[in-house]
Amino acid sequence: TRMDERMRRQWAGAEAVALGRGGLAAVSRATGLALNTIKAGRAELAAGRGPGDTSAAARIRRPGGGRKPITRTDPGLREALLNLVDPATRGHPQSPLLWSSKSTRKLAVELARQGHPVSDRTVAALLKAERYSLQANRKTREGSSHPDRDAQFGYINEQATLALKAGRPVVSVDTKKKELVGEFKNSGQEWQPRGQPLTVNVHDFPDPKRGKAIPYGVHDLAHDEGWVSVGTNHDTAEFAAASIGRWWREMGRRRFPKARRLMITADGGGSNSSRSRLWKVALQALADDIRLELQVCHFPPGTSKWNKIEHRLFCFITRNWRGRPLVSYQAIVNLIASTTSTKGLTVRAALDDHDYPTGRKVTPQELATLCCVPAEFHGEWNYTIRPRA
């Protein structure tokens, strides 16, 4: 059993007596107990108040004894601390730590400056007692939402459900985060021999000879299959359309040999932006090439995280290559192609080293040749591009 305060000091006093001359100092050095504590225990034993004594005089502490809580000896401490960390004071021009990290050390320094001398450990204990904890930022705010946001979600779900029931292909497309190619640190951990981590560059300066990899993904919702084209220069609308076309030729047409219509769900920005003229021109060229009607539905602004490719393909790719430096384009392709999930996800990938220049302007004549039919509901988000005769 653990010793209480009385048992501990009486045990120390007994050891000091047993050691004889110099025993007090020796026991104090060995146990860390104060000399006065050991002397008190020795005196209690001499007075016959040993462990078995249950009298009032043998109680562990005298009534009112012991160190008082610091919030009792310093009544203003709690309010001063909460004024420094309370969320209501964030951004307040009078807050002394407005532009500073609120570490326990800095909080303790500021409290001492205000006349409340405490240690950083005491500050941490007080914050925990007030139900505070260390927390990171959480992404929840999406900015101002479009009034028809939920209606657009419902429209996309309705159209995708009808297409899947009819056996037509439905894909979710997007560009994954660009990745540095070379011996750079990649977030995450991987099992390695103890003390032998993979060494990478100290600085994350892009290698001008290698640049960045641009993975553009296409996820087949019906079969949980993914295709990723790894670009080498620019993320343009033409690159996005070429990636979709490559998925169709490599995977899609084998799965849907009788398909005459392809539904594409995409974000509202980036290379497949709903406001991009070049995106529609590139899709028209794709429709003419593969002879399919392309039904496009864009997610409303600020809702990209609802795109299914994010949590049904990209997250598994990130998990698969965690902790591994992406040393070359081929390594990136191999890591993507080896991605799987417990629910049956399979992925294929290939390098696309074609040049996709930026800054291309779409002429009014090109727009006039588009065979684009807007939907009745938000035609700027929902439209069908048909192959030209």
Side-chain angles (χ1 to χ4, degrees):
T1 60
R2 296 181 61 182
M3 293 188 291
D4 55 30
E5 296 175 23
R6 184 180 63 180
M7 295 172 64
R8 186 166 57 250
R9 67 175 176 260
Q10 289 182 358
W11 165 80
E15 291 295 325
V17 171
L19 290 174
R21 184 179 177 83
L24 278 173
V27 173
S28 178
R29 287 193 302 269
T31 63
L33 296 175
L35 289 174
N36 289 339
T37 300
I38 302 173
K39 289 178 181 179
R42 186 178 59 182
E44 289 173 358
L45 290 175
R49 296 198 301 269
D53 188 3
T54 59
S55 63
R59 62 187 302 150
I60 296 176
R61 292 185 180 179
R62 297 189 303 273
R67 180 178 296 179
K68 304 296 186 295
I70 193 170
T71 51
R72 184 181 300 178
T73 58
D74 187 356
L77 174 61
R78 177 179 178 275
E79 182 179 357
L81 176 59
L82 293 181
N83 284 339
L84 291 176
V85 300
D86 193 329
T89 67
R90 294 176 186 171
H92 194 280
Q94 302 301 321
S95 175
L97 296 180
L98 176 61
W99 307 114
S100 178
S101 171
K102 294 180 181 178
S103 65
T104 54
R105 181 181 61 83
K106 290 187 177 180
L107 289 170
V109 170
E110 178 59 29
L111 287 171
R113 192 187 66 81
Q114 296 181 12
H116 307 282
V118 291
S119 67
D120 56 335
R121 297 183 65 180
T122 301
V123 170
L126 290 173
L127 288 175
K128 289 181 180 179
E130 294 293 335
R131 301 182 66 82
Y132 277 78
S133 63
L134 292 172
Q135 298 184 42
N137 302 146
R138 178 183 297 175
K139 290 184 177 181
T140 55
R141 298 182 181 179
E142 297 178 350
S144 57
S145 61
H146 194 281
D148 289 337
R149 188 189 78 158
D150 292 343
Q152 176 66 3
F153 283 152
Y155 181 85
I156 293 174
N157 183 67
E158 177 187 1
Q159 294 299 311
T161 301
L162 290 174
L164 291 173
K165 285 184 177 179
R168 298 196 301 268
V170 179
V171 296
S172 173
V173 302
D174 197 10
T175 306
K176 195 181 185 302
K177 181 176 73 71
K178 298 179 179 66
E179 302 288 349
L180 291 174
V181 182
E183 295 182 345
F184 300 102
K185 178 180 174 60
N186 198 4
S187 299
Q189 296 177 323
E190 187 180 36
W191 289 103
Q192 298 286 351
R194 185 183 297 274
Q196 300 180 35
L198 293 176
T199 57
V200 295
N201 297 339
V202 174
H203 302 290
D204 291 341
F205 299 129
D207 185 342
K209 296 181 179 179
R210 297 179 178 179
K212 294 183 178 181
I214 308 169
Y216 191 92
V218 182
H219 183 255
D220 177 0
L221 301 185
H223 301 97
D224 198 17
E225 294 178 340
W227 169 269
V228 179
S229 289
V230 180
T232 59
N233 52 13
H234 302 295
D235 180 23
T236 68
E238 292 173 311
F239 169 60
S243 301
I244 298 172
R246 198 163 181 184
W247 163 80
W248 175 253
R249 287 184 287 271
E250 298 287 341
M251 302 177 70
R253 64 183 174 187
R254 292 190 181 92
R255 285 292 194 180
F256 306 95
K258 298 181 180 180
R260 296 293 179 266
R261 188 180 180 92
L262 168 63
M263 180 177 176
I264 301 171
T265 63
D267 293 346
S271 57
N272 43 236
S273 171
S274 59
R275 294 178 293 180
S276 171
R277 295 181 176 184
L278 185 57
W279 164 248
K280 293 182 174 65
V281 169
L283 286 183
Q284 182 67 72
L286 175 61
D288 295 343
D289 181 30
I290 63 178
R291 309 308 298 172
L292 289 179
E293 290 188 355
L294 303 180
Q295 180 188 5
V296 184
C297 294
H298 291 276
F299 285 89
T303 61
S304 60
K305 67 174 179 286
W306 297 102
N307 199 350
K308 288 192 178 296
I309 195 172
E310 296 287 347
H311 48 87
R312 293 184 64 175
L313 177 60
F314 288 165
C315 67
F316 293 105
I317 294 174
T318 301
R319 188 180 303 173
N320 187 57
W321 69 26
R322 68 183 185 274
R324 293 193 180 187
L326 307 178
V327 295
S328 65
Y329 284 106
Q330 191 58 49
I332 294 174
V333 170
N334 292 339
L335 286 167
I336 292 175
S338 62
T339 301
T340 59
S341 73
T342 56
K343 294 186 177 180
L345 171 69
T346 58
V347 186
R348 292 180 61 186
L351 189 67
D352 186 346
D353 56 3
H354 291 83
D355 185 29
Y356 296 99
T358 59
R360 183 191 163 188
K361 302 296 183 181
V362 176
T363 65
Q365 291 77 15
E366 286 181 293
L367 285 179
T369 63
L370 296 183
C371 190
C372 181
V373 182
E376 294 183 1
F377 179 76
H378 277 286
E380 75 278 15
W381 292 342
N382 309 294
Y383 48 88
T384 299
I385 294 182
R386 295 171 178 168
R388 290 174 291 204

